[in-house]
């Protein structure tokens, strides 16, 4: 009865195939072995096809056997589990079993020897819960196809739902010579295998379930047969004749169903699913025992092993450990192969680990696997075509691969080649055909990927261009719209003005009418101008460069229009001397204040333009034209500022004379004040920004920027005060106005110096770069010296030094002036302490920067091959020492003042919470700075090390430098620690 | 005489008819754009680096269509020159060194703790591969970066490195065998005693 139920499937055949010597008996002499725990397990994160897993553990973590140590990273990825209990020693690059011999990221696990299992949670209700949940569970158990490619099983099972399955095929063919791991697995775990198949069948619900097995495994066949009969199972057993490569997925499908998987399609497309026996057992272990995939059966074989056998081995076990276990003879070992002799690949190192897909380690002797004969020309014998199980034309493919005609190779179905090696095996010319195909395939794949990438790049490029065009168009449209609005408003006003004027001024002379009209126009134009200026201000604050440009244009346009109108207006009264009295009274103050306004606008405009040019200049420091322009603008600016101060003086009396309408004047003044205040605030903001930036990059010009900031703040404060009580502040305003211009001049000079400095620095950099380039190009010293660059470098350095000196002098001068001016401003009294601390810090930073620069320059000289004496002769060592001394002095000062400053602050903290925030802020910024310093030092060490590698002849000097830098790093680190400590202290205190 | 005239008349008529058909086809099946420029553009690497002297790959494609030399694109290298030569049926010439040398594939990497958030690199990147905002740390989306180098120069603090994309186990590809008379070590199927199966 049971014998009748036990069904045997029909067996078909496939084209080609070969009969290499089987060599399977060797590894079946001994029973299944279980090697001891190795001293470390190496678990690559990419054991499967698709994205590498993401590690869940950290170095030093203790893990239990079966614990998840890495999770999937996307759809086509898998989980990884600890094969035994122990400690994670590292997550690092290690050699992996791969034909490339490259390394990959691995988790290194040191076993503790206890083999303590984590809590196992079998999925006992797999029959009741949804299949998706079961699939998700399988994914979490790290189950992947153990036959070869390592395709995540749940993905394959999901794919099988596309079409109704006619066949679920279990691949037990194991056709490759030498390998007996599946054979042993079936013998040892027959029940688990069958239960696993049943679970899978429950998941996929195929019409037929067939186990395909080659007839060279009689023991396994018998075991399966008896079990299937006993269980009265519906699973069919198909015994296929031994022929390589019947274990290929497509070949086995053809053998068992007679169907061919169409080119470019998957078995699932024709309703067939294939699973390896190892996978079925793993599925069983995961679901009924809750054990993740942490071990596998692997064949250890080859003549170089005294005890070839199958082993159940933990994943991550190094091959060397297994070779020891099987008593390898180093003398005999000529090639170590992962996988079988047909489809495997040579391992360069025995340090690589066993992974989920490693089914065999072949330690072959020279006699067993002699080096292949040299390749000869193809004689077109057609043997390969006879042998090809995929019915391809290998000689044709070879031809196309050799001539790199990949497109034609693809047309000849290159991608249907399963790389079985049958063609290479039979080729009388010993042509490594598979090698050629692999090369072609990877080239084609690379080209495809490159294509995808370049398409993407193109898309993104075009999208960006479209976006930019749209932005530009939008701006243009807005500009046009605005212009139109202005002109239409103006014309409207023009039209409206006479209408309005008509009833009131019927008796008035025509000239008066005209002047009125003009005045209205001017008023409208002015309000427009005001609006534009406001927008400009906003734009400047937000740093919208393009907007600023277009706004500026508009402002100038508007100004011109107003000017011309005013001219006309001026002409009108002279043409009509009998103008009404009140008109002149109104008009006379207007031109002055207008002129003042205009002059101010000029100043602002020129300032902005100047700034822009300076920016440009810092980008292209060599542009003489720019420099000329800048100086021209600067003179303009000065002239404009002069007129402003002159005019503002004039305004005072005129305002007095215009006492007839004092309110209007005051409100006008008020408006002006407001605008000034806004401008001042914007200036403060901008300077603050600059300061921040400078701090971040540790620029030496921090000091002057700070000064600027202070001035700007002062000005803003004053203006605001003035704004608060406008009536009384008229004279003050004038003073405030006069002051900033002076300050501006100072700041301008400082700026100019800075720009010069930056230019000089850039020049030095460029010269250095060019010299470096020449060196790289292999030019020798003499040639380099003959070139203009060293002299240029020298020049630039000299200039830089001179400028720096100047700057230093200036900075020493300027604190004095600020200090002198500080007491006179009552606003800053409470800030003085903090200011002093800040200044000290800035001095410190400057000193540090000086040291750095000196060191760099010395280094540079060394690089340039100057000897010690020359270096000594140069100014730099001296400077270095000076700077170091200064730094030390400053640091001492700082530490004393830090205590003295911090105590009062803490005392007054309750009274003034703002004051308290400030030191903390300083601390954090300082910590940040220190961190940057540490990072910089590290980077420098790295760079130096790299250089050391590249130019061992300079080893001495570089080593010295490394030591110096390390010292610096250390000191910076200790400082950082201290700072962090004090910060935490402060926080605790609070 | 009449036959001659008749023949001429028929020919004139035929030519008119075919002319009309062709004219109609020209309008009806008009192809937008310049197909040869598209084809050339498709072969260029789309790095958009401008090393060819044009503001992007497409302008260079247009220039090639107008007769510029095909060897001005360093990122494409010899492979692109070969492909262009095949497409345009001209001689493949070596890369013009004036425009730069072919280099291994690289991507930009921003040293993030040094970035001051100036957004200059964002403005320079032709493929929007840099992510960041004013005063915020910036970073390069490595997958989108074409390695064009354009962001390196504008960075005021020099915190952008061009890093070679090394070969990993996943991107590695097989070498081509050396050819005739060379033994290759990787081919394993050696112990051949058996015959082809029948
Ligand atoms: S390696 Fe490819 S071409 Fe050669 S026999 Fe196998 S399937 Fe055919
Ligand atoms: S077997 Fe070798 S020699 Fe014969 S046709 Fe194929 S490639 Fe050429
Ligand atoms: S050199 Fe090449 S990659 Fe760069 S823009 Fe020109 S065509 Fe494009
Ligand atoms: S990130 Fe830099 S190198 Fe990469 S594409 Fe953008 S600009 Fe080019």
């Amino acid at each position: 009865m049971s014998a009748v139920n036990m069904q045997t499937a029909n067996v078909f055949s496939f084209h080609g195939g070969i009969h290499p010597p089987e060599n399977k008996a060797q590894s079946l002499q001994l029973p299944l072995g279980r090697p001891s725990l190795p001293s470390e397990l190496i678990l690559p994160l990419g054991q499967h096809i698709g994205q590498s897993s993401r590690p869940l553990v950290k170095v030093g973590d203790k893990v239990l056997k079966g614990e998840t140590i890495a999770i999937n990273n996307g759809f086509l990825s898998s989980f990884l589990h600890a094969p035994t209990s122990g400690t994670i020693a590292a997550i690092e690059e290690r050699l992996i079993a791969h034909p490339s011999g490259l390394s990959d990221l691995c988790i290194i696990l040191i076993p503790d020897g206890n083999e303590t299992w984590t809590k196992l949670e079998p999925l006992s209700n797999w029959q009741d819960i949804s299949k998706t949940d079961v699939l998700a569970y399988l994914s979490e158990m790290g189950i992947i196809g153990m036959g070869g490619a390592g395709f995540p099983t749940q993905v394959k099972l999901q794919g099988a739902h596309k079409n109704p399955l006619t066949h679920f095929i279990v691949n037990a063919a194991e056709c490759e010579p030498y390998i007996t791991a599946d054979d042993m697995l079936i013998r040892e775990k027959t029940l688990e295998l069958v239960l696993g198949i049943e679970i899978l069948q429950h998941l996929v619900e195929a019409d037929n379930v067939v186990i395909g097995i080659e007839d060279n495994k009689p023991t396994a066949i018998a075991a399966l047969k008896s079990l299937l009969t006993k269980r009265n199972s519906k699973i069919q057993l198909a015994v296929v004749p031994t022929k390589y490569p019947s274990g290929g997925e497509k070949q086995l499908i053809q053998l068992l169903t007679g169907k061919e998987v169409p080119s470019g399609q998957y078995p699932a497309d024709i309703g067939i699913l294939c699973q390896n026996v190892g996978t079925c057992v793993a599925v069983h272990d995961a679901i009924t025992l809750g054990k993740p995939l942490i071990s596998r059966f692997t064949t250890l074989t080859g003549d170089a092993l005294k005890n070839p056998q199958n082993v159940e081995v933990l994943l991550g076990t190094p091959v060397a450990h297994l070779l020891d276990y099987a008593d390898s003879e180093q003398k005999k070992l000529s090639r170590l192969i992962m996988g079988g002799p047909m489809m495997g690949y040579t391992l360069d190192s025995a340090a690589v680990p066993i992974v989920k897909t490693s089914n065999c380690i072949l330690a072959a002797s020279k006699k067993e696997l002699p080096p292949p004969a040299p390749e000869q020309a193809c004689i077109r014998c057609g043997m390969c075509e006879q042998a090809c199980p995929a019915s391809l034309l290998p000689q044709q493919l070879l031809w196309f691969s050799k001539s790199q005609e990949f497109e034609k190779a693809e047309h000849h179905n290159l991608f249907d080649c399963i790389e079985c090696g049958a063609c290479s095996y039979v080729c009388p010319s010993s042509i490594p055909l598979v090698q050629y195909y692999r090369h072609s395939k990877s080239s084609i794949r690379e080209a495809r990927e490159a294509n995808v990438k370049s398409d993407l790049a193109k898309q993104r490029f075009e999208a960006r261009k479209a976006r930019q065009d749209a932005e530009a168009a939008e701006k243009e449209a807005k500009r046009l719209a605005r212009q139109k609005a202005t002109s239409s408003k103006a014309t409207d006003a023009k039209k409206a003005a006479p209408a309005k004027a008509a009833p009131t001024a019927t008796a008035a002379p025509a000239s008066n009418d005209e002047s009125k009209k003009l005045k209205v126009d001017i008023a409208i134009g002015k309000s427009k101008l005001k609006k534009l200026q406001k927008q400009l201000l906003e734009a400047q604050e937000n740093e919208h460069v393009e907007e600023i440009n277009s706004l500026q244009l508009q402002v100038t346009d508007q100004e011109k229009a107003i000017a011309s109108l005013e001219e006309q207006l001026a002409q009108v009264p002279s043409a009509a001397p009998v103008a009404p009295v009140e008109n002149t009274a109104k008009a006379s103050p207007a031109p002055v204040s207008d002129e003042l306004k205009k002059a101010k606008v000029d100043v602002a405009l020129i300032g902005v333009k100047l700034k822009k040019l300076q920016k440009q200049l810092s980008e292209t420091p060599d542009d003489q034209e720019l420099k000329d322009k800048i100086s021209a603008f600067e003179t303009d600016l000065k002239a404009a500022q002069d007129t402003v101060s002159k005019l503002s003086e004039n305004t005072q009396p005129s305002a007095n004379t215009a006492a007839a309408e004092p309110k209007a004047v005051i409100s006008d003044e008020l408006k002006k004040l407001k605008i000034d205040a806004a401008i001042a605030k914007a200036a403060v903001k901008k300077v603050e920004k600059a300061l921040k930036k400078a701090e971040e990059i540790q620029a030496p010009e921090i000091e002057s920027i700070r000064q600027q900031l202070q001035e700007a703040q002062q000005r803003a404060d004053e203006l605001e005060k003035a704004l608060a009580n406008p009536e009384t502040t008229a004279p003050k305003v004038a003073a405030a106005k006069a002051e900033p211009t002076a300050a501006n001049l100072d700041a301008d000079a400082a700026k100019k110096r800075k720009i010069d400095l930056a230019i000089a620095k850039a020049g030095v950099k460029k010269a250095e770069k060019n010299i470096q380039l020449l060196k790289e190009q292999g030019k020798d010293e003499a040639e380099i010296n003959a070139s203009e660059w060293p002299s240029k470098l020298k020049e630039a350095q000299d200039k830089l030094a001179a400028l720096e000196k100047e700057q230093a002098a200036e900075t020493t001068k300027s604190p004095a002036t600020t200090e002198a001016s500080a007491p006179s401003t009552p606003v800053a009294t409470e800030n003085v302490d903090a200011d002093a601390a800040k200044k000290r810090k800035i001095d410190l930073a400057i000193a540090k920067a000086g040291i750095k620069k000196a060191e760099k320059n010395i280094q540079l000289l060394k690089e340039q091959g100057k000897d010690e004496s020359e270096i000594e002769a140069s100014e730099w060592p001296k400077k270095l020492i000076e700077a170091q001394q200064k730094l030390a002095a400053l640091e001492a000062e700082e530490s004393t003042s830090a205590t003295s400053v911090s105590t009062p602050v803490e005392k007054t903290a309750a009274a003034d919470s703002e004051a308290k925030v400030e030191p903390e802020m300083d601390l954090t910024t300082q910590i940040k700075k220190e961190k940057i310093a540490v990072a910089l030092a590290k980077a420098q060490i790295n760079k130096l090390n790299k250089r050391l590698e590249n130019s061992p002849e300079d080893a001495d000097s570089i080593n010295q430098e490394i030591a110096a830098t390390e010292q610096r790093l250390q000191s910076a680190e200790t400082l950082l620690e201290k700072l962090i400590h004090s910060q935490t202290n402060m926080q605790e205190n609070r | 005489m009449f036959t001659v005239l008749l023949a001429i008349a028929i020919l004139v008529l035929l030519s008119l008819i075919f002319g009309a058909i062709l004219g109609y086809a020209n309008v009806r099946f008009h192809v937008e754009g310049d197909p040869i420029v598209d084809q050339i553009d498709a072969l260029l690497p789309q790095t958009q680096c401008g090393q060819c002297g044009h503001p992007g790959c497409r302008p260079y494609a247009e220039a090639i269509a107008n007769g510029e030399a095909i060897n001005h694109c360093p990122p494409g290298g010899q492979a692109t020159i070969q492909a262009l030569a095949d497409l345009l049926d001209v001689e493949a010439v070596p890369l013009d060194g004036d425009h730069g040398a072919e280099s291994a594939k690289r991507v930009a990497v921003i040293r993030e703790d040094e970035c001051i958030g100036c957004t200059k690199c964002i403005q320079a990147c032709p493929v929007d591969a840099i992510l960041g905002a004013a005063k915020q740390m910036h970073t390069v989306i490595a997958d989108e970066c074409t390695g064009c180098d354009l962001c390196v120069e504008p960075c005021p603090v020099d915190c952008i490195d061009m890093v070679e994309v090394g070969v990993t186990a996943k991107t590695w590809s097989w070498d081509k065998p050396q050819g005739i008379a060379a033994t290759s070590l990787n081919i394993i199927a050696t112990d051949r005693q058996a015959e082809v199966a029948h």
Side-chain angles (χ1 to χ4, degrees), chain A residues 457, chain B residues 46-49 106-110 121-131 139-142 144-152 154 160-162:
Chain B
Q46 305 299 331
T47 305
Q48 316 291 2
C49 64
R106 305 185 303 167
V107 292
V109 176
I110 293 179
C121 51
I122 292 193
Q123 286 154 31
C125 181
V127 292
D128 283 339
I130 302 183
L131 208 66
T139 198
V140 176
I141 311 169
E144 315 286 9
C145 173
T146 63
C148 70
D149 249 13
L150 292 181
C151 52
V152 175
I160 306 183
D161 297 320
M162 296 304 296

Side-chain angles (χ1 to χ4, degrees), chain A residues 378-384 395 398 427-429 431 433:
Chain A
C378 169
I379 53 171
R380 298 252 170 202
C381 63
M383 302 258 281
C384 48
Q395 72 275 49
L398 168 70
C427 177
S429 294
I431 303 174
L433 292 153

Side-chain angles (χ1 to χ4, degrees), chain A residues 186-228:
Chain A
I186 299 169
R187 293 188 204 181
E188 292 280 321
K189 302 205 164 177
T190 325
L191 182 61
E192 286 91 334
L193 170 63
V194 172
L195 290 176
I197 295 172
E198 281 169 4
I199 294 171
L200 284 170
Q201 163 66 2
H202 164 78
L203 291 176
V204 300
E205 292 171 340
D207 301 340
N208 300 292
V209 188
V210 193
I211 304 175
I213 187 166
E214 271 191 347
D215 58 8
N216 59 1
K217 305 177 186 55
T219 325
I221 293 171
L224 267 178
K225 244 187 197 154
S226 73
L227 184 71
L228 290 178

Side-chain angles (χ1 to χ4, degrees), chain A residues 896-957:
Chain A
T896 53
S897 72
T899 49
S900 68
V901 165
S902 60
T903 40
V905 164
E906 241 135 86
K907 268 178 208 159
T908 55
D912 192 350
S913 61
E914 265 181 36
K916 195 179 165 188
V917 183
E918 219 170 284
E920 206 177 317
M921 282 274 285
D922 271 356
L923 210 52
T924 48
T925 50
Q926 217 176 331
I927 286 178
K928 207 173 170 191
K929 252 192 275 176
E930 248 359 277
K931 270 187 194 161
I932 291 173
V934 170
L936 271 178
K938 275 185 194 159
Q940 206 180 346
I941 291 177
N942 277 347
K943 235 190 264 172
L944 286 171
N945 277 332
K946 234 184 251 166
R947 240 198 17 232
L948 189 58
E949 265 169 44
N950 289 342
S951 51
E953 62 273 10
D954 304 336
D956 277 351
S957 69

